[in-house]
Amino acid sequence: MSQTTDADATTEEAAAARAAIAAITGPGGPSEMRTEQVLGAPVAVFVDRHRALHEVLAASVRHGDRPYVVSLEATLTFAEHARRVSSLAQALREEHGVRRGDRVAIAGANTTAWIESFWAVVSIGAVAVGCNAWWSPRELAQALELTTPVLVLADERRREASGSTGVPVLDLEAGHERRCTAHPEAPLPSADVGEDDPCVILFTSGTSGRPKGAVHTHRNLCAVLGFHRHNDVLSATFGDPVAPQDKVYLLAMPLFHIGSLHNLAVPRLAGGGTVALHLGAFDPARVLQLVQQARVTHWGAVPTMANRLLAFERVRDYDTSSLYAFSLASAPSSVAFQERLREHLPFAGALVDSYGLTESCTAVAVATPADLLESPGTLGAPIIGVEMEVRDTFGEPLPAGVEGDICVRSAYNMLGYWDDDAATRAAFDDRRWLRTGDLGTMDEKGRIRLSARRSDLIIRGGENVYPAEVEGVLAEHPSVAECVVLGVPDDDLGQQVAAVVVIREGAATDDLEHALRAHVGCELAHYKVPTQWRITDEPLPRNATGKVRRPAVSVVS
């Protein structure tokens, strides 16, 4: 009599899983895929999909009095949200003349008003411009100059900086509340927009200085909805007992990021789940109180947040039993760090990691707990709908294990950079493959491993800092002859920003570090201001072409 071995059982389980996934993504399945021409290139798309975001808002009404956004202070139901957004959309159209294609900037900290404003803007066919709430007045002015919005919606802290640009500014407090209730009988907003029309602009730091505006379309965000719906179907198929409508997702990262906006606030409106919105700066006690009170089930955190949870001695004082999905995103994390999370946080047992970028709207690869167990440090395989290749300098695909440029193509990829044709051409080839600018290798199972992020990029607490931008501001100071900005390791933030400054001959050096800090702080967001300095009169090391040899620069005197 034959006996079934563990290996046989594992093989059978894997075959059954592949068959189940094939049925889900195949003809007639809930995540059926087909190839269509998108912007002149063959791209995999979901067959069953929304074509515009106003359709998503209209469909959300069916969720009625279920909670859409909850915080420690208040609850907003789906029905209330739809009524308030409809009133706000009518006010924007009738009182402020906002039309299809107009840009409307949102400059504020995370609030329910931010989310309502986003939905009102995109549902009338306008383009929501998500401004980094940590920007300096200079950076905000640059973004508004680039995108030329007809209106800025700003909270009190950003209102003065927004108004200095000459663009009309509306408040996100009392005035917002009036606009959300002024037209109680307003119909649900809609607009005659195409799938590839812009709906959102989010910013990514520029390698040469000013931030670039990544343009995301209705197709992009509706594709992200398909990805999240697919995840819900997979979860249910493989034993997740919690229905999508009963899942509660913690939102503790800024709404001007794809992680919070595209992959949390937007999918929850479509799927009927709940957003647990943390207000204010990250505070472990208040965040855990929200997890306990809202019965949070899912949390995607940047490594800095996770690190601060490790340092918080009272984690087990809170009831986190509802939280069964904890993931890392937005910044690299080490294998050792992931192990510490599993050991010390009661909800980090089934840890997930991912890889994505602003230009791709969502993750391009996800590492499951099984992936991380089998191949520590991997970022997983491409998500549904993503084609991924590792290429050589000539654009040719490389075999498994060979390092090269990571390139991706999908319906998630941005349209391009706003008003920057040169940067858009540099980002895409003629078949709509996006050059991520990152280096990596792919294993035999199609899983990606990152070896270097974009050239010289510093990731501080989940926020990207491009040295060229900081160097450009430093170079404006009269005492600076030349400078270089580098990332240095930091246990809490992942990396800190460091600067090596060569002073001009005859420049005063008394308290120069303080003066340079203040100079950069006036022009750039606080997280871009160097915290480590080396001030010297020795020239920077350069190669034969005159470029600074960054590996040869030391921040230590």
Side-chain angles (χ1 to χ4, degrees):
M1 188 171 75
S2 63
Q3 292 184 333
T4 300
T5 66
D6 290 343
D8 291 334
T10 301
T11 300
E12 290 176 4
E13 289 173 2
R18 287 194 296 270
I21 294 172
I24 291 169
T25 59
S31 300
E32 180 182 354
M33 303 291 290
R34 70 178 174 215
T35 299
E36 295 183 0
Q37 289 294 308
V38 176
L39 301 172
V43 173
V45 298
F46 291 101
V47 173
D48 180 15
R49 66 185 188 273
H50 291 292
R51 262 60 175 186
L53 289 180
H54 67 82
E55 297 177 1
V56 179
L57 176 66
S60 73
V61 174
R62 73 183 188 276
H63 302 302
D65 292 330
R66 296 183 66 87
Y68 171 39
V69 181
V70 301
S71 66
L72 290 177
E73 290 77 15
T75 296
L76 178 70
T77 70
F78 284 90
E80 291 168 337
H81 175 262
R83 285 194 296 271
R84 289 170 61 83
V85 169
S86 297
S87 175
L88 176 57
Q90 186 163 322
L92 292 177
R93 274 176 163 163
E94 295 184 356
E95 298 172 25
H96 302 283
V98 179
R99 296 291 180 263
R100 169 187 168 185
D102 287 343
R103 274 77 61 209
V104 176
I106 307 174
N110 284 8
T111 58
T112 301
W114 205 113
I115 296 173
E116 292 171 333
S117 297
F118 165 81
W119 281 110
V121 170
V122 299
S123 293
I124 60 177
V127 181
V129 180
C131 298
N132 189 316
W134 295 332
W135 273 340
S136 68
R138 164 177 163 153
E139 291 167 303
L140 180 56
Q142 289 175 344
L144 300 184
E145 179 186 355
L146 173 68
T147 56
T148 60
V150 299
L151 205 60
V152 178
L153 309 177
D155 61 15
E156 182 177 5
R157 182 176 172 184
R158 286 92 188 165
R159 205 168 301 141
E160 182 178 350
S162 303
S164 65
T165 64
V167 182
V169 180
L170 302 182
D171 73 276
L172 282 172
E173 292 99 10
H176 174 83
E177 187 62 26
R178 183 199 67 77
R179 292 185 291 275
C180 285
T181 55
H183 306 282
E185 304 302 322
L188 286 162
S190 64
D192 182 18
V193 293
E195 284 192 86
D196 295 309
D197 284 350
C199 65
V200 188
I201 298 174
L202 296 183
F203 291 87
T204 179
S205 295
T207 54
S208 59
R210 292 189 175 197
K212 295 180 290 188
V215 182
H216 301 152
T217 65
H218 289 269
R219 181 192 299 278
N220 293 153
L221 269 73
C222 289
V224 174
L225 295 181
F227 164 56
H228 285 275
R229 182 185 62 189
H230 174 67
N231 288 343
D232 287 337
V233 173
L234 285 182
S235 295
T237 301
F238 293 106
D240 186 348
V242 183
Q245 295 85 354
D246 295 328
K247 294 176 180 177
V248 181
Y249 292 74
L250 180 66
L251 196 164
M253 294 187 291
L255 280 160
F256 53 79
H257 280 315
I258 61 168
S260 289
L261 183 59
H262 297 12
N263 290 276
L264 211 160
V266 173
R268 301 294 72 79
L269 193 79
T274 299
V275 174
L277 180 63
H278 172 64
L279 304 175
F282 185 80
D283 177 341
R286 283 182 59 80
V287 168
L288 290 169
Q289 179 64 34
L290 180 59
V291 170
Q292 174 177 290
Q293 181 173 309
R295 303 300 295 162
V296 168
T297 60
H298 291 65
W299 182 358
V302 298
T304 297
M305 290 180 182
N307 193 55
R308 291 179 182 176
L309 286 174
L310 288 174
F312 185 62
E313 297 178 352
R314 294 173 45 220
V315 170
R316 296 182 185 274
D317 291 349
Y318 296 86
D319 181 4
T320 60
S321 59
S322 61
L323 184 56
Y324 69 97
F326 186 73
S327 60
L328 296 174
S330 300
S333 60
S334 68
V335 174
F337 178 68
Q338 293 172 9
E339 276 302 315
R340 286 177 60 210
L341 293 179
R342 293 188 186 96
E343 290 174 9
H344 297 288
L345 297 183
F347 43 80
L351 191 65
V352 174
D353 206 353
S354 63
Y355 164 54
L357 53 159
T358 301
E359 290 85 347
S360 69
C361 284
T362 188
V364 294
V366 172
T368 66
D371 288 327
L372 294 174
L373 182 63
E374 180 181 325
S375 181
T378 183
L379 291 171
I383 68 168
I384 184 171
V386 169
E387 298 175 82
M388 179 180 291
E389 292 181 351
V390 175
R391 296 178 171 180
D392 62 20
T393 54
F394 301 102
E396 295 299 320
L398 291 166
V402 179
E403 183 184 84
D405 297 312
I406 301 172
C407 299
V408 294
R409 182 168 67 179
S410 74
Y412 315 114
N413 281 355
M414 67 171 183
L415 181 65
Y417 294 111
W418 184 264
D419 197 23
D420 196 337
D421 291 340
T424 300
R425 287 193 299 271
F428 289 99
D429 69 11
D430 58 3
R431 300 298 286 165
R432 289 292 297 173
W433 282 85
L434 174 68
R435 305 177 180 96
T436 67
D438 297 330
L439 296 176
T441 57
M442 189 176 288
D443 67 16
E444 292 79 4
K445 293 188 176 181
R447 296 178 300 208
I448 198 72
R449 183 180 296 270
L450 217 61
S451 50
R453 294 217 70 148
R454 305 177 190 207
S455 178
D456 308 325
L457 176 64
I458 301 167
I459 304 181
R460 179 196 179 277
E463 293 292 332
N464 291 352
V465 180
Y466 274 94
E469 184 178 18
V470 185
E471 291 164 358
V473 172
L474 274 173
E476 296 171 0
H477 194 280
S479 296
V480 176
E482 57 179 348
C483 60
V484 64
V485 171
L486 308 164
V488 293
D490 182 86
D491 289 340
D492 181 32
L493 296 168
Q495 285 182 299
Q496 284 278 17
V497 183
V500 177
V501 174
V502 179
I503 59 174
R504 293 187 183 278
E505 186 177 351
T509 57
D510 292 345
D511 209 16
L512 181 57
E513 179 180 322
H514 180 269
L516 293 174
R517 283 179 187 266
H519 172 69
V520 177
C522 286
E523 303 295 338
L524 299 176
H526 71 88
Y527 63 87
K528 301 176 184 177
V529 179
T531 55
Q532 295 189 35
W533 297 81
R534 178 177 160 229
I535 298 174
T536 179
D537 57 3
E538 298 176 3
L540 296 174
R542 296 180 181 273
N543 62 21
T545 62
K547 292 183 179 180
V548 175
R549 293 190 292 114
R550 289 177 180 270
V553 178
S554 172
V555 296
V556 181
S557 300

